[in-house]
Amino acid sequence: MPIALRRTAAVVVLLAGIALALWIVFGSPHEWTGAMRLLKPALGLTSLGMISAGAWLMFPGSPDDDDDDANTQAPVTGPLDAL
């Protein structure tokens, strides 16, 4: 996946996870009663998972996760590499 598309997806997922977390904290779930109140922790874990997934998309863990073509270029040589 190209790095620009990967970072754009990361920002979208991060913002959606943060929006869901803010809605859980400040929004409608405070009035939920009965079995619906069990959905609130599940939504909280979902928002944390979305934030973690966005961070993983932004900063992949291994070079195999990042398929950018910039890694195939030759390394830049410096003045001490003349020999």
Side-chain angles (χ1 to χ4, degrees):
M1 175 183 292
I3 194 73
L5 181 61
R6 186 179 194 112
R7 298 244 168 114
T8 303
V11 169
V12 169
V13 171
L14 272 171
L15 290 177
I18 290 170
L20 179 60
L22 288 175
W23 180 72
I24 291 168
V25 171
F26 298 114
S28 180
H30 292 287
E31 300 171 2
W32 290 353
T33 59
M36 284 297 290
R37 65 187 164 98
L38 297 175
L39 188 61
K40 187 176 177 181
L43 286 174
L45 289 174
T46 301
S47 70
L48 288 176
M50 290 174 70
I51 293 169
S52 297
W56 175 78
L57 281 171
M58 183 69 73
F59 306 106
S62 68
D64 297 337
D65 294 339
D66 192 14
D67 295 336
D68 195 12
D69 292 334
N71 295 335
T72 60
Q73 296 177 353
V76 178
T77 58
L80 298 178
D81 294 333
L83 300 176

Coordinates of all heavy atoms in Angstrom, one line a residue:
M1 N 0.9 -1.2 0.0 CA 0.0 0.0 0.0 C 0.9 1.2 0.0 O 1.8 1.3 0.8 CB -0.9 0.0 1.3 CG -1.7 1.2 1.4 SD -2.7 1.2 2.9 CE -3.9 -0.1 2.7
P2 N 0.6 2.2 -0.9 CA 1.4 3.4 -0.9 C 1.4 4.2 0.5 O 0.3 4.1 1.1 CB 0.8 4.3 -2.0 CG 0.0 3.3 -2.8 CD -0.4 2.2 -1.9
I3 N 2.4 4.8 0.8 CA 2.5 5.5 2.1 C 1.5 6.6 2.3 O 1.0 6.8 3.4 CB 4.0 5.9 2.4 CG1 4.2 6.3 3.9 CG2 4.3 7.1 1.5 CD1 4.3 5.1 4.7
A4 N 1.2 7.3 1.2 CA 0.2 8.4 1.3 C -1.2 7.9 1.6 O -1.9 8.4 2.5 CB 0.2 9.2 0.1
L5 N -1.5 6.8 1.0 CA -2.8 6.2 1.2 C -2.9 5.6 2.6 O -3.9 5.7 3.3 CB -3.1 5.1 0.1 CG -4.4 4.4 0.2 CD1 -5.6 5.4 0.1 CD2 -4.5 3.3 -0.8
R6 N -1.8 5.0 3.0 CA -1.7 4.3 4.3 C -1.9 5.4 5.4 O -2.6 5.2 6.4 CB -0.4 3.6 4.5 CG -0.3 2.8 5.7 CD 1.0 2.1 5.8 NE 1.0 1.1 6.8 CZ 1.0 -0.2 6.6 NH1 1.1 -0.7 5.4 NH2 0.9 -1.0 7.6
R7 N -1.2 6.5 5.3 CA -1.3 7.6 6.3 C -2.6 8.3 6.3 O -3.2 8.6 7.3 CB -0.2 8.6 6.1 CG 1.2 8.0 6.2 CD 2.0 8.5 7.4 NE 3.1 7.7 7.7 CZ 4.4 8.1 7.5 NH1 4.6 9.4 7.1 NH2 5.4 7.4 7.9
T8 N -3.3 8.4 5.1 CA -4.6 9.0 5.0 C -5.6 8.1 5.8 O -6.4 8.5 6.5 CB -5.0 9.2 3.6 OG1 -4.0 10.0 2.9 CG2 -6.4 9.8 3.5
A9 N -5.5 6.8 5.5 CA -6.4 5.8 6.2 C -6.1 5.8 7.7 O -7.1 5.7 8.5 CB -6.2 4.4 5.6
A10 N -4.9 6.0 8.1 CA -4.6 6.1 9.5 C -5.2 7.3 10.2 O -5.8 7.1 11.3 CB -3.0 6.1 9.7
V11 N -5.2 8.4 9.5 CA -5.8 9.6 10.1 C -7.3 9.4 10.2 O -7.9 9.8 11.2 CB -5.4 10.8 9.3 CG1 -6.2 12.1 9.7 CG2 -3.9 11.1 9.4
V12 N -7.9 8.9 9.2 CA -9.4 8.7 9.2 C -9.8 7.7 10.3 O -10.7 8.0 11.1 CB -9.9 8.1 7.8 CG1 -11.3 7.7 7.9 CG2 -9.7 9.2 6.8
V13 N -9.0 6.6 10.5 CA -9.4 5.6 11.5 C -9.1 6.2 12.9 O -9.9 6.0 13.8 CB -8.6 4.3 11.3 CG1 -8.7 3.4 12.5 CG2 -9.0 3.6 10.0
L14 N -8.0 7.0 13.1 CA -7.8 7.6 14.4 C -8.9 8.6 14.7 O -9.3 8.6 15.9 CB -6.4 8.4 14.3 CG -5.2 7.6 14.7 CD1 -4.0 8.4 14.3 CD2 -5.2 7.2 16.1
L15 N -9.3 9.4 13.8 CA -10.3 10.4 14.1 C -11.7 9.8 14.4 O -12.4 10.2 15.3 CB -10.5 11.4 12.9 CG -9.3 12.4 12.8 CD1 -9.5 13.3 11.5 CD2 -9.1 13.2 14.0
A16 N -12.0 8.7 13.7 CA -13.2 8.0 14.0 C -13.2 7.3 15.3 O -14.2 7.3 16.1 CB -13.5 6.9 12.9
G17 N -12.0 6.8 15.7 CA -11.9 6.2 17.0 C -12.0 7.2 18.2 O -12.6 6.9 19.2
I18 N -11.4 8.3 17.9 CA -11.5 9.4 18.9 C -12.9 9.9 19.1 O -13.4 10.2 20.2 CB -10.4 10.5 18.6 CG1 -9.0 10.0 18.8 CG2 -10.7 11.8 19.4 CD1 -7.9 10.9 18.3
A19 N -13.5 10.1 17.9 CA -14.9 10.6 17.9 C -15.8 9.6 18.7 O -16.7 10.0 19.4 CB -15.4 10.8 16.5
L20 N -15.6 8.3 18.4 CA -16.4 7.3 19.1 C -16.2 7.3 20.6 O -17.1 7.2 21.4 CB -16.1 5.9 18.6 CG -16.9 4.7 19.2 CD1 -18.4 4.9 19.1 CD2 -16.4 3.4 18.6
A21 N -14.9 7.5 21.0 CA -14.6 7.5 22.4 C -15.2 8.8 23.1 O -15.7 8.7 24.2 CB -13.1 7.6 22.6
L22 N -15.1 9.9 22.4 CA -15.7 11.1 23.0 C -17.3 11.0 23.1 O -17.9 11.5 24.0 CB -15.4 12.3 22.1 CG -13.9 12.8 22.2 CD1 -13.6 13.9 21.2 CD2 -13.6 13.2 23.6
W23 N -17.9 10.3 22.1 CA -19.3 10.1 22.2 C -19.7 9.2 23.3 O -20.7 9.4 24.0 CB -19.8 9.5 20.9 CG -21.3 9.3 20.9 CD1 -22.3 10.2 20.8 CD2 -22.0 8.0 21.0 NE1 -23.5 9.6 20.9 CE2 -23.3 8.2 20.9 CE3 -21.5 6.7 21.0 CZ2 -24.3 7.2 21.0 CZ3 -22.4 5.7 21.1 CH2 -23.8 5.9 21.1
I24 N -18.9 8.2 23.6 CA -19.1 7.3 24.7 C -19.0 8.0 26.0 O -19.8 7.9 27.0 CB -18.2 6.1 24.7 CG1 -18.5 5.2 23.5 CG2 -18.3 5.3 26.0 CD1 -17.5 4.1 23.2
V25 N -18.0 8.9 26.2 CA -17.8 9.6 27.4 C -18.8 10.7 27.6 O -19.3 10.9 28.7 CB -16.4 10.2 27.4 CG1 -16.2 11.1 28.6 CG2 -15.3 9.1 27.4
F26 N -19.1 11.5 26.6 CA -20.0 12.7 26.8 C -21.4 12.5 26.2 O -22.2 13.4 26.4 CB -19.3 13.9 26.2 CG -18.0 14.2 26.8 CD1 -16.8 14.1 26.1 CD2 -18.0 14.7 28.1 CE1 -15.6 14.5 26.7 CE2 -16.7 15.0 28.7 CZ -15.6 14.9 28.0
G27 N -21.7 11.4 25.5 CA -22.9 11.4 24.7 C -24.0 10.5 25.3 O -24.1 10.4 26.5
S28 N -24.8 9.9 24.5 CA -26.0 9.2 24.8 C -25.9 8.0 25.7 O -26.8 7.7 26.4 CB -26.7 8.8 23.5 OG -27.9 8.1 23.8
P29 N -24.8 7.3 25.7 CA -24.7 6.0 26.5 C -25.0 6.2 28.0 O -25.2 5.2 28.7 CB -23.3 5.5 26.3 CG -22.9 6.0 25.0 CD -23.6 7.4 24.9
H30 N -24.9 7.4 28.5 CA -25.2 7.6 30.0 C -26.7 7.3 30.3 O -27.0 7.0 31.5 CB -24.9 9.1 30.4 CG -23.4 9.4 30.3 ND1 -22.5 8.9 31.2 CD2 -22.7 10.1 29.4 CE1 -21.3 9.3 30.9 NE2 -21.4 10.0 29.8
E31 N -27.5 7.4 29.4 CA -29.0 7.2 29.6 C -29.4 5.7 29.3 O -30.5 5.4 29.4 CB -29.8 8.2 28.8 CG -29.5 9.6 29.2 CD -30.1 10.6 28.2 OE1 -30.8 10.2 27.3 OE2 -29.9 11.8 28.4
W32 N -28.5 4.9 28.8 CA -28.8 3.5 28.5 C -29.0 2.7 29.8 O -28.3 2.8 30.7 CB -27.7 2.9 27.7 CG -27.6 3.4 26.3 CD1 -28.4 4.3 25.7 CD2 -26.5 3.1 25.3 NE1 -27.9 4.6 24.4 CE2 -26.8 3.9 24.2 CE3 -25.4 2.3 25.4 CZ2 -26.0 3.8 23.1 CZ3 -24.6 2.3 24.3 CH2 -24.9 3.0 23.1
T33 N -30.1 1.9 29.7 CA -30.4 1.0 30.9 C -30.6 -0.4 30.4 O -30.7 -0.6 29.2 CB -31.6 1.5 31.6 OG1 -32.7 1.5 30.7 CG2 -31.4 2.9 32.2
G34 N -30.6 -1.3 31.3 CA -30.9 -2.7 31.0 C -29.7 -3.3 30.3 O -28.6 -3.1 30.6
A35 N -30.1 -4.1 29.2 CA -29.0 -4.8 28.5 C -28.2 -3.9 27.6 O -27.0 -4.2 27.3 CB -29.7 -5.9 27.6
M36 N -28.7 -2.7 27.3 CA -28.0 -1.8 26.5 C -26.8 -1.2 27.2 O -25.8 -0.8 26.5 CB -28.9 -0.6 26.0 CG -29.8 -1.0 24.9 SD -29.0 -1.4 23.4 CE -28.4 0.2 22.9
R37 N -26.8 -1.2 28.5 CA -25.6 -0.7 29.2 C -24.4 -1.6 29.1 O -23.3 -1.2 29.3 CB -25.9 -0.5 30.7 CG -26.2 -1.7 31.5 CD -26.7 -1.4 32.9 NE -27.3 -2.6 33.4 CZ -26.7 -3.4 34.2 NH1 -25.5 -3.2 34.6 NH2 -27.3 -4.5 34.7
L38 N -24.6 -2.8 28.7 CA -23.5 -3.7 28.4 C -22.8 -3.4 27.1 O -21.6 -3.9 26.9 CB -23.9 -5.2 28.4 CG -24.5 -5.7 29.7 CD1 -25.0 -7.1 29.6 CD2 -23.5 -5.6 30.8
L39 N -23.4 -2.7 26.2 CA -22.8 -2.3 25.0 C -21.8 -1.2 25.1 O -20.9 -1.1 24.3 CB -23.9 -1.8 24.0 CG -23.6 -1.5 22.6 CD1 -23.0 -2.8 21.9 CD2 -24.8 -1.0 21.8
K40 N -21.9 -0.4 26.2 CA -21.0 0.7 26.4 C -19.5 0.2 26.6 O -18.6 0.8 25.9 CB -21.4 1.5 27.6 CG -20.6 2.8 27.9 CD -21.2 3.6 29.0 CE -20.3 4.8 29.3 NZ -20.8 5.6 30.4
P41 N -19.2 -0.8 27.4 CA -17.8 -1.3 27.4 C -17.3 -1.8 26.1 O -16.1 -1.7 25.7 CB -17.8 -2.3 28.5 CG -19.0 -2.1 29.3 CD -20.0 -1.5 28.4
A42 N -18.2 -2.5 25.4 CA -17.8 -3.0 24.0 C -17.5 -1.9 23.1 O -16.5 -2.0 22.3 CB -18.9 -3.9 23.5
L43 N -18.2 -0.8 23.1 CA -17.9 0.3 22.2 C -16.6 1.0 22.7 O -15.9 1.5 21.8 CB -19.1 1.3 22.3 CG -20.3 0.9 21.5 CD1 -21.5 1.9 21.7 CD2 -20.0 0.8 20.0
G44 N -16.4 1.0 24.0 CA -15.1 1.6 24.5 C -13.9 0.8 24.0 O -12.9 1.4 23.6
L45 N -14.0 -0.5 24.0 CA -12.9 -1.4 23.5 C -12.8 -1.2 22.0 O -11.7 -1.3 21.5 CB -13.2 -2.8 23.9 CG -13.0 -3.1 25.4 CD1 -13.4 -4.6 25.7 CD2 -11.6 -2.9 25.8
T46 N -13.9 -1.0 21.3 CA -13.8 -0.8 19.9 C -13.1 0.5 19.5 O -12.3 0.5 18.6 CB -15.3 -0.8 19.3 OG1 -15.9 -2.1 19.6 CG2 -15.2 -0.6 17.8
S47 N -13.4 1.5 20.3 CA -12.7 2.8 20.0 C -11.2 2.7 20.3 O -10.4 3.2 19.6 CB -13.4 3.9 20.9 OG -13.1 3.8 22.2
L48 N -10.9 2.0 21.4 CA -9.4 1.8 21.7 C -8.8 0.9 20.6 O -7.6 1.2 20.2 CB -9.2 1.1 23.0 CG -9.5 1.9 24.2 CD1 -9.4 1.1 25.5 CD2 -8.6 3.1 24.3
G49 N -9.5 0.0 20.0 CA -9.0 -0.8 18.9 C -8.8 0.0 17.7 O -7.8 -0.2 16.9
M50 N -9.7 0.9 17.4 CA -9.6 1.8 16.2 C -8.4 2.7 16.4 O -7.7 3.0 15.4 CB -10.9 2.6 16.0 CG -12.1 1.7 15.6 SD -13.6 2.7 15.6 CE -13.3 3.7 14.2
I51 N -8.2 3.3 17.6 CA -7.0 4.1 17.8 C -5.7 3.4 17.6 O -4.8 3.9 17.0 CB -7.2 4.8 19.2 CG1 -8.4 5.8 19.2 CG2 -5.9 5.6 19.5 CD1 -8.7 6.3 20.5
S52 N -5.7 2.2 18.1 CA -4.5 1.3 18.0 C -4.3 1.0 16.5 O -3.1 1.0 16.1 CB -4.6 0.1 18.8 OG -4.7 0.4 20.2
A53 N -5.3 0.6 15.8 CA -5.2 0.3 14.4 C -4.7 1.5 13.6 O -3.9 1.4 12.7 CB -6.5 -0.2 13.8
G54 N -5.2 2.7 13.9 CA -4.7 3.9 13.3 C -3.2 4.2 13.5 O -2.5 4.5 12.6
A55 N -2.8 3.9 14.8 CA -1.4 4.1 15.1 C -0.5 3.0 14.3 O 0.6 3.3 13.8 CB -1.1 4.0 16.6
W56 N -1.1 1.8 14.2 CA -0.3 0.8 13.5 C -0.2 1.1 12.0 O 0.8 0.9 11.4 CB -1.0 -0.6 13.7 CG -0.4 -1.7 12.8 CD1 0.7 -2.3 13.1 CD2 -0.9 -2.1 11.6 NE1 1.0 -3.2 12.1 CE2 0.0 -3.1 11.2 CE3 -2.0 -1.8 10.8 CZ2 -0.2 -3.8 10.0 CZ3 -2.2 -2.5 9.6 CH2 -1.3 -3.5 9.2
L57 N -1.3 1.7 11.4 CA -1.3 2.1 10.0 C -0.3 3.2 9.8 O 0.4 3.3 8.8 CB -2.6 2.5 9.5 CG -3.6 1.4 9.2 CD1 -5.0 2.0 9.0 CD2 -3.2 0.6 8.0
M58 N -0.2 4.1 10.8 CA 0.7 5.3 10.6 C 2.2 4.9 10.8 O 3.0 5.3 10.0 CB 0.4 6.3 11.7 CG 1.2 7.6 11.6 SD 0.8 8.6 10.2 CE -0.7 9.3 10.6
F59 N 2.5 4.0 11.7 CA 3.8 3.5 12.0 C 3.9 2.0 12.0 O 3.7 1.4 13.0 CB 4.3 4.1 13.3 CG 4.2 5.5 13.5 CD1 3.2 6.1 14.3 CD2 5.0 6.4 12.8 CE1 3.0 7.4 14.4 CE2 4.9 7.8 13.0 CZ 3.9 8.3 13.8
P60 N 4.1 1.4 10.8 CA 4.1 -0.1 10.7 C 5.2 -0.7 11.5 O 6.3 0.0 11.7 CB 4.2 -0.4 9.2 CG 4.8 0.9 8.6 CD 4.3 2.0 9.5
G61 N 5.1 -1.9 12.0 CA 6.0 -2.5 12.9 C 7.2 -3.1 12.2 O 8.3 -3.1 12.7
S62 N 7.1 -3.5 11.0 CA 8.2 -4.1 10.3 C 8.4 -3.5 8.9 O 7.4 -3.0 8.3 CB 8.1 -5.6 10.2 OG 7.0 -6.0 9.4
P63 N 9.5 -3.7 8.3 CA 9.7 -3.1 6.9 C 8.8 -3.9 5.9 O 8.5 -3.3 4.8 CB 11.2 -3.4 6.6 CG 11.8 -3.5 7.9 CD 10.8 -4.1 8.8
D64 N 8.4 -5.1 6.2 CA 7.5 -5.8 5.3 C 6.1 -5.2 5.2 O 5.4 -5.4 4.2 CB 7.4 -7.3 5.7 CG 8.7 -8.0 5.7 OD1 9.6 -7.6 4.9 OD2 8.9 -9.0 6.4
D65 N 5.7 -4.5 6.2 CA 4.4 -3.9 6.3 C 4.3 -2.7 5.4 O 3.2 -2.3 4.9 CB 4.0 -3.5 7.7 CG 3.8 -4.7 8.6 OD1 3.6 -5.8 8.0 OD2 3.8 -4.5 9.8
D66 N 5.4 -2.1 5.1 CA 5.5 -0.8 4.3 C 6.0 -1.1 2.9 O 7.1 -1.4 2.7 CB 6.3 0.2 5.0 CG 6.2 1.6 4.4 OD1 5.2 1.8 3.7 OD2 7.0 2.4 4.7
D67 N 5.1 -1.1 1.9 CA 5.5 -1.4 0.6 C 5.8 -0.2 -0.3 O 5.4 -0.1 -1.4 CB 4.3 -2.2 -0.1 CG 4.1 -3.5 0.5 OD1 5.0 -4.0 1.1 OD2 2.9 -4.0 0.4
D68 N 6.5 0.8 0.3 CA 6.8 2.0 -0.4 C 8.0 1.7 -1.3 O 8.9 0.9 -1.0 CB 7.2 3.1 0.6 CG 7.3 4.4 0.0 OD1 6.8 4.6 -1.1 OD2 7.8 5.4 0.7
D69 N 8.0 2.4 -2.5 CA 9.1 2.2 -3.5 C 10.4 2.9 -3.1 O 11.4 2.7 -3.7 CB 8.6 2.6 -4.8 CG 7.5 1.7 -5.4 OD1 7.5 0.5 -5.0 OD2 6.7 2.2 -6.2
A70 N 10.3 3.7 -2.1 CA 11.5 4.5 -1.7 C 12.6 3.6 -1.1 O 13.8 3.9 -1.1 CB 11.2 5.6 -0.7
N71 N 12.2 2.4 -0.6 CA 13.2 1.5 0.0 C 14.1 0.8 -1.1 O 15.1 0.2 -0.7 CB 12.5 0.5 0.8 CG 11.8 1.1 2.0 OD1 12.1 2.1 2.5 ND2 10.7 0.4 2.5
T72 N 13.7 0.9 -2.3 CA 14.4 0.2 -3.4 C 15.6 1.0 -3.9 O 16.3 0.6 -4.8 CB 13.5 -0.3 -4.5 OG1 12.9 0.9 -5.0 CG2 12.4 -1.2 -3.9
Q73 N 15.6 2.3 -3.6 CA 16.7 3.2 -4.1 C 18.0 2.9 -3.5 O 18.1 2.4 -2.4 CB 16.3 4.6 -3.9 CG 15.0 5.1 -4.6 CD 14.7 6.5 -4.2 OE1 15.3 7.1 -3.4 NE2 13.7 7.0 -4.9
A74 N 19.1 3.2 -4.2 CA 20.4 3.0 -3.7 C 20.7 4.0 -2.6 O 20.2 5.1 -2.6 CB 21.4 3.2 -4.8
P75 N 21.5 3.6 -1.6 CA 21.8 4.5 -0.5 C 22.6 5.7 -1.0 O 23.4 5.6 -1.9 CB 22.5 3.7 0.5 CG 23.1 2.5 -0.3 CD 22.1 2.3 -1.4
V76 N 22.4 6.8 -0.3 CA 23.2 8.0 -0.7 C 24.6 7.9 -0.1 O 24.8 7.5 1.0 CB 22.5 9.3 -0.1 CG1 23.2 10.6 -0.4 CG2 21.0 9.4 -0.6
T77 N 25.5 8.2 -1.0 CA 26.9 8.1 -0.6 C 27.4 9.5 -0.1 O 27.0 10.5 -0.6 CB 27.8 7.7 -1.7 OG1 27.7 8.6 -2.8 CG2 27.4 6.3 -2.2
G78 N 28.2 9.5 0.9 CA 28.8 10.7 1.5 C 30.2 11.0 1.0 O 30.8 10.2 0.3
P79 N 30.8 12.1 1.5 CA 32.2 12.4 1.1 C 33.2 11.4 1.6 O 34.3 11.2 1.0 CB 32.4 13.8 1.7 CG 31.4 13.9 2.8 CD 30.2 13.0 2.4
L80 N 32.9 10.6 2.6 CA 33.9 9.7 3.1 C 33.8 8.3 2.4 O 34.6 7.4 2.6 CB 33.7 9.4 4.6 CG 33.9 10.7 5.5 CD1 33.6 10.4 7.0 CD2 35.3 11.2 5.3
D81 N 32.8 8.2 1.5 CA 32.6 6.9 0.8 C 33.2 7.0 -0.6 O 32.8 6.3 -1.5 CB 31.1 6.6 0.7 CG 30.4 6.3 2.0 OD1 31.2 5.9 2.9 OD2 29.2 6.6 2.1
A82 N 34.2 7.8 -0.8 CA 34.8 8.0 -2.2 C 35.6 6.8 -2.6 O 35.7 6.6 -3.8 CB 35.6 9.3 -2.2
L83 N 36.1 6.0 -1.7 CA 36.9 4.9 -2.1 C 36.1 3.8 -2.4 O 35.7 3.0 -2.7 CB 37.9 4.5 -0.9 CG 38.8 5.6 -0.6 CD1 39.7 5.2 0.6 CD2 39.7 6.0 -1.7

